[in-house]
Amino acid sequence: MRSFGAISARIYRLFNRDPESNRIVVDLLDLTPDQRVLEVGCGPGAAIEYAAKRIGPERVAAVEPSATFVDMARKRVPGADVRIGSATDIPFDDGTFDVIWSIAAMHHWPERDPGLAAQTAKLAPGGRLFVVERLLDKPGHGITPEQTEDVVAYLKRLGHDDVRSFTRPNGKKTIQFIEARKPA
């Protein structure tokens, strides 16, 4: 996985400090104060900040391969457990989280299926996994309808039930959501 360096991370943050997509995702997660949550690929920490406001920072964790983004997210959300990691290298115990999400991160993963399998392992029984990407017509920085079908099928093979995909508008873009629930 290519990581953002110090300069590129700071430039990214200037243009993406508070993207509306993060607010949309956290709203749809419908988090409750008894849940433990994880974001995979948190960038500068906008979504974990929203989550922490809803359920408290001590219930929020994140992994991010960029050390610069990890530092930014830790400063942005004191009390959240933000660690260096990736979609496949998640430094938390299996079965720890009630909700795991990634926003516009999956297209950066070198291999999608191992990342989905690793995140599934970190979910508690009955936990929910959300993959969120910009919907595209052709492969790129987002996900196509065909790729969405592949992810849905793979999550079902991993044993998730209640797997569904849906879209939401976000300005001129469309956000693709994939939601799966780990069996209780």
Side-chain angles (χ1 to χ4, degrees), residues 55-165:
I55 65 172
E58 69 284 352
R59 310 289 300 163
V60 176
V63 293
E64 168 60 48
S66 165
T68 302
F69 276 151
V70 167
D71 289 341
M72 288 177 185
R74 285 176 177 163
K75 289 175 185 169
R76 187 173 187 162
V77 190
D81 189 353
V82 183
R83 302 179 188 183
I84 292 178
S86 69
T88 56
D89 180 21
I90 303 170
F92 293 96
D93 292 336
D94 287 355
T96 300
F97 298 100
D98 301 296
V99 179
I100 297 175
W101 73 87
S102 67
I103 304 171
M106 186 175 67
H107 67 267
H108 291 288
W109 305 348
E111 294 183 82
R112 180 180 62 218
D113 291 354
L116 294 169
Q119 291 169 55
T120 294
K122 302 306 175 186
L123 278 175
R128 298 177 297 147
L129 175 64
F130 289 84
V131 176
V132 183
E133 289 282 345
R134 184 169 55 127
L135 186 61
L136 303 174
D137 293 329
K138 59 184 179 180
H141 286 286
I143 192 168
T144 66
E146 295 79 18
Q147 291 169 325
T148 299
E149 290 175 17
D150 291 344
V151 171
V152 167
Y154 185 70
L155 289 169
K156 288 179 180 178
R157 285 195 304 276
L158 285 175
H160 289 275
D161 54 19
D162 194 24
V163 181
R164 66 187 185 117
S165 64

Side-chain angles (χ1 to χ4, degrees), residues 11 17-18 27-28 57 98 121 127 130 135 180 184:
I11 292 169
R17 167 111 178 109
D18 195 19
D27 286 346
L28 283 170
D98 301 296
F130 289 84
L135 186 61

